[in-house]
């Protein structure tokens, strides 16, 4: 490429990075996007293509560098040039008045002092350093003197500028603030983790701290982290004479500053702010555990100085704890939309954070056992905003003599189907996915999704209405819907109803892989559905297969086999599948099921070099005929294929009396099929 062409690429890259960074700022900081998601995606894809073609031109401030670098082996310790000292706490109005008096006496003023007041975020304190406007490094507060270098992870936070906006910033700038997760994003994150069978986070602060302290930055990049600037550390030049003005400048340079930051006059202004924020606490988008008052004038701060533990010019006025004690009167298993069975504690009603709480989540069986929660126990309950209350711990000294450990039931309390916990999951699940009333909405939406039965027009709102009116008890009821059933539903006119019924009718003609995926069997995605269809050829032999037979399917291991077998063993699921077939749902059978191949279920080991096939090609041929390829020889191995210069696997085969095939015999076996 000519130098002129390369200069053109550099110019375009600079323009793209600048434009995308500006859109990120407008979207994540100002909440004022000016382009559509599709337009943004086009810009980002163009940037990615140019950088992939010219990796030598990738810069640290490029938006593409937010996705997360390679995992770290350990965090490096960094030392704070100016210690990140904790604030003193006030728990009453009297303590705030006393602090204000000490400030006025130390400054020698009689009138009210100008303060700033802002929420005290319940997150993880972080410092971010910039050199000549570019993000240099970031670290956690740690012990106040030393913290952990989390630069790679902080770079993934969408509202952290990689390059400062505007102009006028010092050559060196240390910005301090809080990394948090919004309440709504936290609830969504926990829902997703619960559906995936993973342990949920106790609260947004733990989630934020855990997400930022990941050795793999790609994990941090997937978490909904936000950064709010609340101050500065070391700087190479003065920014402004007042704290409020400094934060305004940080906002100009691309940082998100709390919209709830106010300037107030004297102790009276501080306390008015506190009362207002306490009343709005549960409606705030983030978890806060109090408010912070700071002397606004930076020169006055210098005169006030520090105690051994905290600055004299600031104080945290804490909200009352959102915890209470009560008694667990019962524990019952609650079944969610995806079949996850969650133990829920029924509590003696108690007011927590201004709301009467009568139940709390126990998350899963592991949590019940870890906390050792029993019926009759006196427990500590925590409620944080809109987050479902949870049991923090048990007061063991108050446990009654008759209290017994609680265990997950073997049958679903809603439909009676088997409750199963797969080996790699924390969650228990109801296996009656096609029948269980608790799972109706989720089952229908998955069944109708584009990659499943592809029923266009069947969205969340409509499905919820159909279930609420008892028109859909199982997915099979879709094929019994009539025009009259749809009349009168919200946003469902005659034309829309006709279209929907036509799409439902068309979905009857499908493929076996699509149908299997549509059933919503745990651990069976699109790829596994195709493997199952190809191996068994039709539904009936698959439904009758035991776990051993299922594990002969390429890529199907013990966990997946167990999930499939238990799904088809449920009488309710069998009934729904029969109703679907009776309604006319059909598919063409596979021409030659793998299960009928002489290689089906046979285990091969490859060693040495073959003349006519690469190792990958040989593997593909074996698996296409229903066989499996293993990396080691054992008594379960059926054949060891030996090429030129074989390794110790050939000797192991002879030692275990496993049949050895040379390349010619192997090719003949493939051709016999």
């Amino acid at each position: 490429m000519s130098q002129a062409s390369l200069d053109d690429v550099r110019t375009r890259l600079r323009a793209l990075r600048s434009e995308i960074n500006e859109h990120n700022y407008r979207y994540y900081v100002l909440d004022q996007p000016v382009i559509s998601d599709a337009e943004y995606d086009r810009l980002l894809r163009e940037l990615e293509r140019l950088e992939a073609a010219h990796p030598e031109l990738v810069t640290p401030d490029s938006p593409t560098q937010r996705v997360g670098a390679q995992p770290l082996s350990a965090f490096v310790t960094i030392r704070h040039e100016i210690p990140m000292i904790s604030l003193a706490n006030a728990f009453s109005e009297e303590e705030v008045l006393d602090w204000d008096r000490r400030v006025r006496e130390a400054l020698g003023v009689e009138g009210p002092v100008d303060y700033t007041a802002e929420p005290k975020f319940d997150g993880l304190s972080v410092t971010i350093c910039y050199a000549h406007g570019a993000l240099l490094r970031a670290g956690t507060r740690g012990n106040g003197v030393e913290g952990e270098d989390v630069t790679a992870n902080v770079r993934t936070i969408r509202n952290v500028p990689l390059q400062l906006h505007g102009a006028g910033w010092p050559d060196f700038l240390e910005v301090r603030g809080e990394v948090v997760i919004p309440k709504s994003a936290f609830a969504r994150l926990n829902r997703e983790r619960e559906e995936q069978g993973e342990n949920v986070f106790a609260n947004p602060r733990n989630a934020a701290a855990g997400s930022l302290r990941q050795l793999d930055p790609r994990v941090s990049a997937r978490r909904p982290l936000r950064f709010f600037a609340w101050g500065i550390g070391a700087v190479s030049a003065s920014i402004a004479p007042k704290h409020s003005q400094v934060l305004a400048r940080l906002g100009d340079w691309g940082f998100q500053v709390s919209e709830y930051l106010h300037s107030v006059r004297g102790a009276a202004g501080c306390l008015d702010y506190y009362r207002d924020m306490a009343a709005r606490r549960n409606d705030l988008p983030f978890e806060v555990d109090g408010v912070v008052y700071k002397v606004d004038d930076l020169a006055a701060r210098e005169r006030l100085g520090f105690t051994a533990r905290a600055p004299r010019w600031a104080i945290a006025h804490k909200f009352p704890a959102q915890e209470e004690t009560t008694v667990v009167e019962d524990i019952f298993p609650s079944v969610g939309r995806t079949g996850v069975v969650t133990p829920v504690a029924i509590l003696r009603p108690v007011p927590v954070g201004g709301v009467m709480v009568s139940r709390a989540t126990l998350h899963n069986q592991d949590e019940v056992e870890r906390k050792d929660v029993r019926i009759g126990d006196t427990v500590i309950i925590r409620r944080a905003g809109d987050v479902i209350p949870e049991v923090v711990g048990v007061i063991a000294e108050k446990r009654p003599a008759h209290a017994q450990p609680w265990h997950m039931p073997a049958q679903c309390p809603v439909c009676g189907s088997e409750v199963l916990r797969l080996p790699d999951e924390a969650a228990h699940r109801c296996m009656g996915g096609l029948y269980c009333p608790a799972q109706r909405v989720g089952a229908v939406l998955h069944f109708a999704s584009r990659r499943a039965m592809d029923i266009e027009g069947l969205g969340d709102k409509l499905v919820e209405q159909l279930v609420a009116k008892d028109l859909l008890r199982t997915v099979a009821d879709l094929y019994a819907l009539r025009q009259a059933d749809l009349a009168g539903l919200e946003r469902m006119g005659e034309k829309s109803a006709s279209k929907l019924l036509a799409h439902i009718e068309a979905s009857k003609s499908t493929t076996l892989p699509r149908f299997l995926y549509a059933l919503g069997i745990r651990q069976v995605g699109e790829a596994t559905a195709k493997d199952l269809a190809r191996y068994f050829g039709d539904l009936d032999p698959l439904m009758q297969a035991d776990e051993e037979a299922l594990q002969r399917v390429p890529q199907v291991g013990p966990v997946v086999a167990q999930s499939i077998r238990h799904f088809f063993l449920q009488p309710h699921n069998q009934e729904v599948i029969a109703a679907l077939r009776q309604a006319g749902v059909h598919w063409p059978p596979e021409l030659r099921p793998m299960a009928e191949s002489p290689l089906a279920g046979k285990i091969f080991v490859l060693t040495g070099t073959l003349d006519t096939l690469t190792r990958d090609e040989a593997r593909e041929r074996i698996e296409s005929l229903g066989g499996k390829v293993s990396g080691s020889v054992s008594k379960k191995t059926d054949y060891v294929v030996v090429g030129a210069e074989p390794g110790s696997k050939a000797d192991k085969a002879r030692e275990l009396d496993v049949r050895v095939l040379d390349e010619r015999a192997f090719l003949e076996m493939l051709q016999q099929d």
Side-chain angles (χ1 to χ4, degrees):
M1 179 179 285
S2 68
Q3 185 59 45
S5 298
L6 197 60
D7 287 342
D8 289 342
V9 172
R10 283 197 181 95
T11 300
R12 181 57 182 160
L13 284 170
R14 281 196 295 268
L16 281 169
R17 288 166 187 152
S18 176
E19 187 175 359
I20 293 170
N21 280 329
E22 177 64 21
H23 290 310
N24 280 338
Y25 173 62
R26 287 183 170 276
Y27 185 90
Y28 291 105
V29 179
L30 300 182
D31 195 22
Q32 296 173 358
V34 292
I35 63 170
S36 67
D37 289 348
E39 289 176 280
Y40 178 89
D41 290 340
R42 281 194 290 271
L43 292 171
L44 189 59
R45 281 198 297 272
E46 182 184 353
L47 177 62
E48 289 170 341
R49 283 196 299 270
L50 284 174
E51 289 187 342
H54 303 279
E56 73 280 5
L57 300 182
V58 177
T59 59
D61 66 336
S62 174
T64 61
Q65 301 307 294
R66 290 192 188 274
V67 296
Q70 290 300 309
L72 306 172
S73 59
F75 288 114
V76 177
T77 299
I78 63 170
R79 191 171 185 85
H80 304 305
E81 188 173 331
I82 299 175
M84 296 182 72
I85 297 177
S86 298
L87 299 178
N89 292 322
F91 294 95
S92 67
E93 293 191 358
E94 289 73 19
E95 289 177 307
V96 173
L97 293 171
D98 192 44
W99 168 75
D100 171 67
R101 176 187 56 76
R102 293 196 302 272
V103 168
R104 288 186 287 108
E105 288 177 354
L107 293 176
V109 299
E110 295 185 4
V113 174
D114 289 333
Y115 297 112
T116 58
E118 58 195 285
K120 184 178 182 298
F121 289 107
D122 193 14
L124 184 71
S125 294
V126 167
T127 176
I128 310 176
C129 296
Y130 289 79
H132 304 290
L135 195 156
L136 178 65
R137 63 176 178 271
T140 61
R141 177 184 175 277
N143 61 12
V145 177
E146 292 180 333
E148 293 173 321
D149 188 330
V150 288
T151 307
N153 295 347
V154 167
R155 294 179 68 88
T156 70
I157 302 175
R158 299 289 178 174
N159 71 333
V160 170
L162 302 178
Q163 174 70 42
L164 297 182
H165 291 235
W169 15 266
D171 289 343
F172 182 84
L173 171 66
E174 180 186 357
V175 179
R176 294 178 172 181
E178 207 81 2
V179 172
V180 298
I181 290 181
K183 291 177 185 175
S184 57
F186 171 73
R188 187 167 57 251
L189 176 63
N190 263 356
R191 262 197 318 272
E192 291 169 356
R193 291 178 67 84
E194 204 161 48
E195 289 172 2
Q196 295 302 317
E198 299 175 354
N199 288 327
V200 296
F201 291 108
N203 52 58
R205 185 189 187 285
N206 286 359
S211 299
L212 193 66
R213 296 185 70 258
Q214 292 285 332
L215 291 176
D216 187 348
R218 291 169 296 188
V219 177
S220 301
R222 293 193 295 269
R223 301 280 171 78
L225 299 173
R226 299 286 288 275
F227 175 79
F228 283 87
W230 44 247
I232 58 173
V235 291
S236 59
S238 176
I239 296 174
K242 293 187 176 182
H243 173 65
S244 54
Q245 294 169 339
V246 169
L247 291 184
R249 295 303 303 277
L250 293 182
D252 295 338
W253 295 334
F255 292 96
Q256 190 161 8
V257 177
S258 172
E259 62 184 288
Y260 302 101
L261 173 74
H262 287 182
S263 294
V264 298
R265 290 276 287 169
C270 290
L271 294 177
D272 285 344
Y273 179 85
Y274 174 87
R275 296 181 193 112
D276 178 57
M277 294 304 293
R280 301 165 62 185
R281 178 183 186 182
N282 292 333
D283 298 325
L284 296 178
F286 300 93
E287 283 295 333
V288 297
D289 58 1
V291 299
V292 176
Y293 312 128
K294 299 175 184 176
V295 173
D296 196 21
D297 185 274
L298 299 185
R301 290 189 185 184
E302 289 290 330
R303 289 159 55 195
L304 289 166
F306 297 81
T307 67
R309 296 182 179 179
R312 293 190 176 93
W313 42 263
I315 196 167
H317 190 179
K318 302 295 287 289
F319 289 141
Q322 292 192 311
E323 293 183 350
E324 268 296 349
T325 59
T326 187
V327 174
V328 177
E329 296 184 333
D330 198 3
I331 299 175
F332 84 94
S334 173
V335 186
R337 281 176 57 157
T338 61
V340 171
V341 185
T342 304
V344 175
I346 304 301
L347 309 169
R348 185 174 297 164
V350 60
V352 184
V355 174
M356 190 62 70
V357 173
S358 58
R359 59 179 60 197
T361 180
L362 292 167
H363 300 301
N364 53 52
Q365 180 70 49
D366 287 348
E367 280 292 284
V368 174
E369 293 174 2
R370 185 178 69 81
K371 294 176 180 175
D372 193 20
V373 182
R374 307 182 186 187
I375 297 171
D377 273 343
T378 298
V379 293
I380 299 170
I381 301 297
R382 185 176 192 274
R383 178 184 176 272
D386 294 328
V387 180
I388 299 171
E390 67 164 345
V391 175
V392 176
V394 174
I395 301 176
E397 293 79 7
K398 295 187 177 182
R399 170 168 289 162
H402 61 271
Q404 295 294 319
W406 184 87
H407 297 287
M408 187 69 67
Q411 280 79 41
C412 172
V414 178
C415 72
S417 297
E418 179 187 17
V419 169
L420 180 68
R421 177 181 181 177
L422 296 177
D424 61 344
E425 295 188 346
H428 285 73
R429 295 177 185 271
C430 164
M431 301 305 291
L434 291 181
Y435 173 83
C436 184
Q439 301 178 61
R440 281 178 188 164
V441 172
V444 173
L445 288 172
H446 176 76
F447 184 84
S449 61
R450 187 167 60 86
R451 291 185 172 89
M453 301 301 282
D454 193 20
I455 304 176
E456 190 178 332
L458 201 61
D460 295 48
K461 298 292 185 185
L462 180 56
V463 171
E464 288 169 2
Q465 290 183 75
L466 291 168
V467 169
K469 290 181 177 293
D470 209 26
L471 293 169
L472 291 184
R473 295 190 176 186
T474 75
V475 293
D477 292 335
L478 285 168
Y479 299 97
L481 290 174
R482 299 291 177 265
Q483 190 92 17
D485 297 325
L486 302 176
L489 294 180
E490 186 180 340
R491 297 181 182 178
M492 183 56 62
E494 185 176 340
K495 188 175 179 181
S496 299
S498 297
K499 278 188 176 180
L500 175 60
L501 291 174
H503 287 305
I504 292 174
E505 182 65 26
S507 74
K508 289 181 180 179
S509 179
T510 186
T511 65
L512 182 55
R514 277 183 172 272
F515 182 76
L516 292 176
Y517 177 64
L519 295 180
I521 306 169
R522 185 70 181 160
Q523 301 280 347
V524 176
E526 293 175 80
T528 303
K530 288 177 184 176
D531 290 340
L532 292 168
R534 191 174 180 186
Y535 186 88
F536 288 102
D538 210 343
L539 183 63
D540 292 323
L542 169 59
M543 292 181 66
Q544 294 160 12
D546 58 20
E547 290 183 32
E548 184 179 347
L550 287 165
Q551 287 184 61
R552 297 189 189 116
V553 180
Q555 311 306 321
V556 172
V559 174
V560 179
Q562 183 185 19
S563 179
I564 296 168
R565 179 61 177 157
H566 283 260
F567 179 89
F568 285 124
L569 280 175
Q570 306 308 308
H572 295 315
N573 290 342
Q574 296 172 16
E575 291 169 10
V576 175
I577 291 170
L580 286 167
R581 298 173 85 170
Q582 192 171 355
V585 177
H586 64 282
W587 51 85
E590 296 287 324
L591 295 177
R592 177 71 186 275
M594 279 188 194
E596 296 177 8
S597 165
L599 270 65
K602 302 299 183 183
I603 299 175
F604 290 74
V605 172
L606 305 172
T607 182
T609 304
L610 302 177
D611 291 332
T612 57
L613 296 171
T614 66
R615 184 72 61 88
D616 287 340
E617 287 170 342
R619 174 189 292 273
E620 288 174 8
R621 292 287 299 276
I622 292 168
E623 291 182 346
S624 71
L625 297 172
K628 285 192 172 186
V629 178
S630 174
S632 59
V633 181
S634 70
K635 291 183 179 179
K636 293 184 178 181
T637 305
D638 294 291
Y639 302 101
V640 173
V641 180
V642 176
E645 299 182 9
S648 60
K649 294 173 184 176
D651 297 330
K652 183 74 172 178
R654 296 184 183 94
E655 181 185 325
L656 296 176
D657 200 24
V658 174
R659 185 176 174 186
V660 175
L661 301 175
D662 60 18
E663 185 167 357
R664 180 180 175 183
F666 174 56
L667 292 175
E668 287 176 356
M669 178 176 283
L670 295 180
Q671 291 165 1
Q672 283 176 8
D673 190 72

